[in-house]
Amino acid sequence: MSTLGNFRERRLLLLEQSTRMANNVLADTIDSAMDESKDDEKRKINFDNIAFTLNAIEFDLMRSYDEIEMNESEIETYEEKVTLLNGKIEEEKSKVEALHVQLSAEQILKANKQEYDLLVKKVEKYPARQETSLAITKVNEELKKLTAEKSALEDKISLRRKQISLLLHSAKEFAIMLKED
């Protein structure tokens, strides 16, 4: 950017110097052409020099206007390109943000899938519900049988205790009767 600024400054300085020189030459030539003491041929040469200088000045002026128009056109083109690029940048930023959101959702989905797979592995270690229900039913039936058997054994033990108590009581009475006889 500074190189471009230096170039412009030098260009303006050269234009200013050439304009001053042209003005000086033009003033001298006009003075010389208006001098009636000189012959017609010299005056004609001076007028031709004036015309040539004016043509050169006009050419430089037209070239400067053309450069200004080209510069303005380039500036407009660059501004359009900058606007277009900024639009594309914003569009890409929004795409990146959308992809970031999608990535976050995919990461959550992946974590959930991994957790699901772990739970599936744990669940697969255990038998199926039908097998478990069947095993529970068998255990309940066996428990009922054992409870009934326990109840029968307790009744039997109770009966035996009563019989032993009765036997002991009878033995004590028999022993008392024997002592008395």
Side-chain angles (χ1 to χ4, degrees), residues 83 91 114 119 127 129 133 147 154 157 169 179:
T83 304
E91 183 180 317
Q114 288 174 343
L119 290 174
R129 183 177 295 230
S133 296
T147 304
E154 284 176 354
I157 289 173
H169 184 61
K179 273 189 184 180

Side-chain angles (χ1 to χ4, degrees), residues 9-167:
E9 289 174 11
R10 281 185 278 147
R11 177 86 172 129
L12 288 174
L13 187 62
L14 286 173
L15 284 174
E16 184 181 329
Q17 288 174 352
S18 67
T19 303
R20 268 195 231 130
M21 285 175 39
N23 281 339
N24 291 338
V25 169
L26 192 58
D28 290 343
T29 308
I30 289 174
D31 287 342
S32 177
M34 297 305 253
D35 188 8
E36 293 182 8
S37 63
K38 295 189 178 183
D39 64 17
D40 285 341
E41 192 169 315
K42 283 187 179 181
R43 289 174 67 186
K44 184 177 183 298
I45 292 172
N46 284 335
F47 281 121
D48 288 341
N49 284 341
I50 291 171
F52 178 76
T53 304
L54 288 175
N55 283 335
I57 291 172
E58 183 181 8
F59 178 76
D60 283 344
L61 185 63
M62 294 304 289
R63 188 176 61 188
S64 296
Y65 283 140
D66 288 343
E67 285 178 5
I68 289 170
E69 285 179 21
M70 286 186 336
N71 288 341
E72 288 174 353
S73 173
E74 284 182 9
I75 288 171
E76 287 176 16
T77 303
Y78 290 145
E79 286 176 352
E80 289 173 3
K81 287 180 181 180
V82 165
T83 304
L84 181 65
L85 287 175
N86 285 338
K88 286 184 179 181
I89 288 171
E90 290 301 318
E91 183 180 317
E92 293 301 319
K93 280 183 182 179
S94 65
K95 284 181 184 178
V96 167
E97 289 174 8
L99 289 174
H100 183 67
V101 168
Q102 183 180 356
L103 176 65
S104 297
E106 292 292 329
Q107 287 174 337
I108 291 170
L109 196 63
K110 182 181 178 183
N112 288 344
K113 187 175 188 303
Q114 288 174 343
E115 185 178 347
Y116 175 78
D117 290 342
L118 287 174
L119 290 174
V120 165
K121 286 179 183 177
K122 286 182 181 180
V123 166
E124 286 177 349
K125 290 179 183 178
Y126 301 105
R129 183 177 295 230
Q130 292 174 345
E131 294 174 17
T132 306
S133 296
L134 185 60
I136 289 173
T137 304
K138 287 180 182 178
V139 168
N140 283 338
E141 288 175 6
E142 190 175 330
L143 181 64
K144 285 179 184 178
K145 287 179 187 176
L146 290 174
T147 304
E149 190 177 315
K150 177 184 173 190
S151 186
L153 288 174
E154 284 176 354
D155 288 345
K156 197 175 191 181
I157 289 173
S158 178
L159 180 63
R160 299 275 185 219
R161 280 189 187 150
K162 288 179 185 176
Q163 287 175 348
I164 289 176
S165 288
L166 183 60
L167 182 63

